[in-house]
Each structure stands twice: as structure tokens, then as C-alpha cells.
């Protein structure tokens, strides 16, 4: 391996992260209209029903993707370079088979999608999103293997969020479908994203050549993919099981309020997923040469980038939380407490996510058991804390806050355990925390507190930029070294211009 290889890996990680960070900004701009439309026009009850169905649909779709979101990179790295498209089509065929069966099941048995029992016939069409979502995961993973992150940005940050925002508004004013507008808008956005991914995929990989799927091979592929698919679903499920459990204990309106808080909190989470598409290919290439020191360095580097950016966004959204939730509607302000804990949960989860990016390749079964333990711990804590709120006579907002606290504690535990396991396997220290984070957070909180004394409009217009500005200046000067600043340089090693 040449001396330039670490710089090339760092360049690839930084470039992919920059492209998806730009995608985060686009997603933020596009997602806000949807939250406003859904909250102001449809209301918390309709949002609660939609959120309950969404949990099941996306969880099942991830399972049907057979772990290809991260496992495809390893299959392509180990496979025959002459026909890489065939390997991708194997995964797509399996996903189509399993997702088709799942969609048919939930069409005839819709109760798990709508635990409240309230739904329309048009709402049931949301099951058609299962195969489209699963296929989109695979084609975007195939593009990421070729370091094409721009397609993921187009599909996930431009096409999908703008489609759901626009169509939710259009369907609301069509009396025939207005009651099911959120479900139909979501369905339209998923297929629009799939079309975007397929367009780039066919241009990159083309049609299969001499492709002859064999039942025995497909069976082995399925068995190999099950641990990774389950880990993917569980990692995603930790962000959704709280909605499912809350739906059993609280009214649909409370679920709707929590869903909005979760959507706001998921904005910094997208920063974390910004690096997932590019981490897989870089890690698998270093695993082939057993360069564990480089892997550990990359994980710590990317982990700090994620934590630093997430903390800044979390402060900007959390300190003026009442004003942020009030934008969606006055009835959503009660979710401010839940929002605060959800934002903290996303920050503490960063170490678990970057550690898992390696564990899925070097210890997939042990990683799976840790993931199972995480979601089990979260489920138990969620039930216990909600029951405690009920016993104490607290209202619906406190139930939502209890679910958020459970998520924060479970993800914090997972981060600690997964980092320790990865450190032992690689023989290298895994640590994404740096003290300058504390130095940057403290003054940003003070500035944010001052902003909350202003009128609500000024709290948002002045407060959010002020918080980000103070935090950004300090973390840049005190926390970011030369290697960290690579993330913000576009011309490292004369890389080609990025196109979105």
C-alpha cells in the first residue's frame, strides 16, 4: 500500500460527506414545508395514523432489502469484477420477492399498520411502498460503491422530500383523496426516489450479462444476509419502536406530536447518514489489506465530524425548541420536551453508528446481538417510563418525553458497548469525543438562552443563526485540526469537481 492511500481514503470520506452534507441542507429546506403542511392542514390525528403505518412499512422494507444497504459493498469487493451488475441484480431479485410477499400480506392484514383501527381504503395502498423502498436502498448502495454519492443526494434529499411536500399539499385540496393525502404523498415520493436511483444505476451498471439466478445460490445469499438485514432493521427500528409503543399507550394526537418532534430531531441524524454510503466501500477496501489502524483512524475521524455537526444542529433546534415546534402548530408545542431528549439521543448515537459500520463486516453476529439487546432495552425502558408517567398522573406530553428518554439511554448504552467491542477487535482505541465540544457548547447555550427572551419570530430568525455562529467559530478554532478541515476543502489531491 502506498503512502498516498490514507490521504485518498480521507479525501473520499470527506468528499462523500460534503456531498451528503449539501444533501442535508437540501433535505432540511424541503422537509420543513412538509412538516408545516402536515401539521397545519392535516393535524396531529392524521399524522399519528400516518406515522404508525410508516413504522411498519419502512421496517419491513429494510428487512426485505436483505442487508444490501451495507452488505453490497462487501459482495462487490469480493466478487467477480467482470460482471458486477449480476451481483446487484441478485440482491434486487431477492428484495423484490420478499417485499412483494410482505406487501401482499399487509394488504390483506392491515391491522399492524393501523393499530387504532382507523384507516381508509386508499391508506392501504401505502404497502406498495415496501418493494420500492427496498429496491431504492439497493440501487443507491450500488452507486455508493462507485463513490457516486450525488445520486443518493438527488433521490433522498431533493426528489423524495420535495415530492412528499408538494403532493401532500395537492392531495389535501382534492376532496376524493384528502383523507389519505399523507399516505399517497409518501407513496409518490418513494417511487420518485426509486426512479431517480434506477436512472443512474442503469447508466453505471447496465443490464445483466449471462445472469442466471440459481435457487441454491440465492438461498445461501439469503442466509448470509439475514444477520446484516436484521441489524439494519434493528438500527432503524430504534428510531421507530418508540412510536409503535407510544401508539399503544397514547392517543393518535400524541403520536402525531411525537412524530413531528422526531422528524425535527432526525434532521441532525441525516448528518450521520451522510457518511454511511461512502464508509462501506472505504472500510471494505482496508479490510482486504487488514489495515486496522487506518480503519480505526477513519472511524474516529468521521465520528468526530458527525458528533461536532450534530451537536451544533441539536443546539440550534433544541434551545429554541418551543418556537421550532410552534411553527408546525400551537398544539405541537407540548412536544418540546420530547424534542430535547431526541436531539441528545442523536448525538450520543453517533459512536454506535460509526462503530457498526465496521462491525457489520468483522463481527456481524455479535453486532446483531448487541443491536437486539439495544432495541429490547429501549422497548423495556419505554414501557416502564411511560407507565411511570401514567402512575404519576402526568399528561400526554410527558408520555412522549418518556419515550424520548428511553431512546437516549438505549442509544448511549449501544455506543459504549459497540465502541468497546470494535476497539478490542481492531486493537486500536475508538473515541469520537473531544473536549473542545464542551468548550463550544457552553457559550452556544448561553447565546441560545438569551435568544429565548426575544419574541418568537426573533428567537428563530436571530437565535438559530447566533447559536450556530458561536458554536461553529469555537469548534473550528479549538476543535478542528488540519485533518478535520479536509472536510471543508474541495480540492484535496486535485479531486474532480463535485456535481449534485
Amino acid at each position: 500500500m502506498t503512502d498516498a492511500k490514507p490521504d485518498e481514503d480521507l479525501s473520499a470520506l470527506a468528499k462523500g460527506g460534503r456531498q451528503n452534507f449539501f444533501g442535508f441542507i437540501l433535505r432540511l429546506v424541503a422537509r420543513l414545508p412538509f412538516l408545516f403542511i402536515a401539521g397545519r392542514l392535516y393535524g396531529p390525528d392524521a399524522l399519528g395514523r400516518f406515522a404508525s403505518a410508516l413504522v411498519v412499512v419502512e421496517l419491513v422494507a429494510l428487512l426485505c432489502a436483505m442487508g444490501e444497504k451495507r452488505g453490497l459493498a462487501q459482495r462487490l469487493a469480493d466478487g467477480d469484477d467482470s460482471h458486477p451488475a449480476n451481483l446487484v441484480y441478485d440482491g434486487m431479485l431477492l428484495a423484490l420477492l420478499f417485499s412483494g410477499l410482505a406487501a401482499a400480506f399487509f394488504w390483506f392484514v392491515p391491522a399492524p399498520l393501523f393499530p387504532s383501527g382507523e384507516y381508509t381504503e386508499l391508506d392501504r395502498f401505502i404497502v406498495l411502498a415496501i418493494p420500492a423502498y427496498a429496491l431504492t436502498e439497493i440501487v443507491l448502495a450500488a452507486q455508493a460503491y462507485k463513490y457516486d454519492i450525488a445520486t443518493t443526494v438527488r433521490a433522498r434529499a431533493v426528489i423524495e422530500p420535495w415530492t412528499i411536500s408538494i403532493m401532500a399539499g395537492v392531495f389535501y385540496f382534492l376532496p376524493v383523496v384528502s383523507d389519505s393525502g399523507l399516505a399517497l404523498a409518501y407513496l409518490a415520493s418513494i417511487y420518485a426516489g426509486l426512479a431517480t436511483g434506477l436512472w443512474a444505476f442503469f447508466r453505471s451498471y447496465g443490464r445483466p450479462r449471462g445472469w442466471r439466478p440459481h435457487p441454491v445460490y440465492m438461498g445461501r445469499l439469503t442466509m448470509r444476509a439475514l444477520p446484516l438485514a436484521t441489524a439494519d432493521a434493528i438500527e432503524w427500528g430504534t428510531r421507530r419502536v418508540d412510536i409503535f409503543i407510544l401508539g399503544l399507550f397514547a392517543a393518535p394526537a400524541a403520536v402525531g406530536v411525537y412524530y413531528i418532534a422526531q422528524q425535527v430531531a432526525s434532521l441532525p441524524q441525516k448528518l450521520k447518514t451522510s457518511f454511511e454510503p461512502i464508509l462501506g466501500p472505504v472500510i471494505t477496501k482496508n479490510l482486504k489489506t487488514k489495515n486496522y489502524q487506518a480503519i480505526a483512524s477513519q472511524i474516529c475521524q468521521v465520528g468526530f465530524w458527525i458528533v461536532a455537526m450534530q451537536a451544533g444542529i441539536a443546539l440550534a433546534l433544541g434551545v429554541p425548541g418551543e418556537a421550532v415546534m410552534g411553527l408546525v402548530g400551537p398544539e405541537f408545542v407540548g412536544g418540546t420536551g420530547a424534542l430535547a431528549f431526541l436531539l441528545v439521543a442523536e448525538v450520543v448515537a453517533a459512536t454506535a453508528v460509526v462503530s457498526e459500520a465496521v462491525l457489520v463486516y468483522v463481527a456481524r453476529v455479535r453486532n446483531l446481538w448487541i443491536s437486539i439487546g439495544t432495541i429490547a432495552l429501549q422497548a423495556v425502558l419505554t414501557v416502564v417510563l411511560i407507565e411511570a408517567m401514567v402512575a404519576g398522573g402526568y399528561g400526554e406530553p410527558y408520555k412522549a418525553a418518556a419515550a424520548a428518554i428511553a431512546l437516549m439511554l438505549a442509544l448511549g448504552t449501544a455506543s459504549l458497548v459497540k465502541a468497546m467491542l470494535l476497539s478490542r477487535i481492531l486493537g486500536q482505541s475508538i473515541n469520537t469525543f473531544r473536549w473542545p465540544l464542551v468548550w463550544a457548547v457552553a457559550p452556544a447555550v448561553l447565546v441560545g438562552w438569551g435568544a429565548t427572551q426575544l419574541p418568537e419570530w426573533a428567537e428563530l430568525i436571530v437565535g438559530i443563526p447566533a447559536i450556530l455562529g458561536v458554536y461553529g467559530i469555537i469548534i473550528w478554532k479549538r476543535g478542528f485540526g488540519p485533518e478535520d478541515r479536509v472536510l471543508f476543502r474541495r480540492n484535496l489531491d486535485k479531486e474532480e469537481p463535485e456535481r449534485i
Side-chain angles (χ1 to χ4, degrees), residues 10-28 140 143-158 270-279 281 305 309 486-490 495-500:
L10 188 62
S11 176
L13 289 169
K15 182 177 179 180
R18 279 196 304 275
Q19 288 182 329
N20 259 329
F21 178 76
F22 179 58
F24 158 75
I25 301 298
L26 294 176
R27 188 192 295 259
L28 171 63
L140 293 181
Q143 290 303 110
Y145 182 75
K146 291 180 175 286
Y147 291 173
D148 174 17
I149 308 302
T151 297
T152 299
V153 174
R154 290 190 200 99
R156 297 296 197 203
V158 181
K270 306 307 179 188
L271 291 170
K272 177 176 72 261
T273 58
S274 294
F275 293 92
E276 285 182 352
I278 198 66
L279 263 177
W305 285 345
M309 290 189 291
V486 168
L487 182 62
F488 300 92
R489 293 210 311 267
R490 291 182 55 114
E495 65 185 30
E496 293 182 2
E498 300 163 16
R499 297 180 177 87
I500 301 299

Side-chain angles (χ1 to χ4, degrees), residues 141-464:
Q143 290 303 110
Y145 182 75
K146 291 180 175 286
Y147 291 173
D148 174 17
I149 308 302
T151 297
T152 299
V153 174
R154 290 190 200 99
R156 297 296 197 203
V158 181
I159 302 299
E160 286 186 9
W162 276 112
T163 300
I164 195 172
S165 296
I166 293 170
M167 297 311 296
V170 170
F171 287 139
Y172 179 79
F173 293 101
L174 298 178
V176 178
V177 298
S178 59
D179 291 340
S180 306
L182 292 176
L184 295 178
Y186 173 76
L187 190 60
S189 73
I190 293 300
Y191 275 92
L194 174 60
T196 303
L198 286 174
W199 176 263
F201 172 76
F202 288 135
R203 294 179 63 186
S204 297
Y205 289 84
R207 293 178 295 180
R209 299 177 184 177
W211 182 46
R212 297 289 186 273
H214 194 280
V216 175
Y217 169 74
M218 301 299 278
R220 288 200 304 265
L221 179 59
T222 301
M223 295 306 297
R224 180 185 179 187
L226 281 177
L228 187 54
T230 307
D232 279 345
I234 289 174
E235 194 277 333
W236 179 92
T238 55
R239 306 304 200 283
R240 297 296 187 274
V241 71
D242 43 3
I243 288 183
F244 180 77
I245 295 175
L246 192 61
L248 301 177
F249 288 88
V255 179
V257 171
Y258 186 83
Y259 174 76
I260 289 295
Q262 193 180 70
Q263 289 297 298
V264 174
S266 72
L267 292 172
Q269 180 194 359
K270 306 307 179 188
L271 291 170
K272 177 176 72 261
T273 58
S274 294
F275 293 92
E276 285 182 352
I278 198 66
L279 263 177
V282 171
I283 287 170
T284 53
K285 287 176 173 58
N286 280 318
L287 283 174
K288 290 184 72 173
T289 60
K290 299 186 183 300
N291 191 352
Y292 296 152
Q293 183 177 358
I295 293 173
S297 176
Q298 290 155 7
I299 290 300
C300 293
Q301 188 81 63
V302 172
F304 174 69
W305 285 345
I306 293 171
V307 170
M309 290 189 291
Q310 281 188 325
I313 300 296
L315 287 170
L317 295 175
V319 177
E322 288 190 5
V324 171
M325 293 295 289
L327 277 177
V328 185
E331 62 269 44
F332 291 91
V333 175
T336 304
L339 172 63
F341 289 113
L342 287 171
L343 288 168
V344 175
E346 294 302 338
V347 176
V348 301
T351 303
V353 172
V354 293
S355 298
E356 188 174 77
V358 184
L359 291 175
V360 293
Y361 301 119
V362 299
R364 64 175 62 195
V365 175
R366 280 179 286 177
N367 176 71
L368 173 60
W369 281 112
I370 295 172
S371 297
I372 292 173
T374 300
I375 199 168
L377 175 63
Q378 181 194 357
V380 171
L381 287 174
T382 302
V383 173
V384 169
L385 292 176
I386 289 177
E387 289 284 13
M389 295 301 172
V390 173
Y394 296 101
E396 302 292 296
Y398 288 90
K399 295 179 184 177
I405 293 171
L407 174 64
M408 179 186 68
L409 295 175
L411 292 180
T413 303
S415 287
L416 180 62
V417 174
K418 292 191 176 186
M420 291 173 60
L421 174 60
L422 181 60
S423 179
R424 189 164 69 248
I425 292 174
L426 298 181
Q428 305 286 333
S429 175
I430 302 297
N431 181 22
T432 60
F433 175 79
R434 299 182 193 174
W435 281 107
L437 287 169
V438 177
W439 306 336
V441 166
V445 170
L446 289 176
V447 170
W449 178 83
T452 60
Q453 310 307 306
L454 301 173
E456 188 172 281
W457 63 269
E459 185 178 350
L460 295 173
I461 296 175
V462 177
I464 290 179

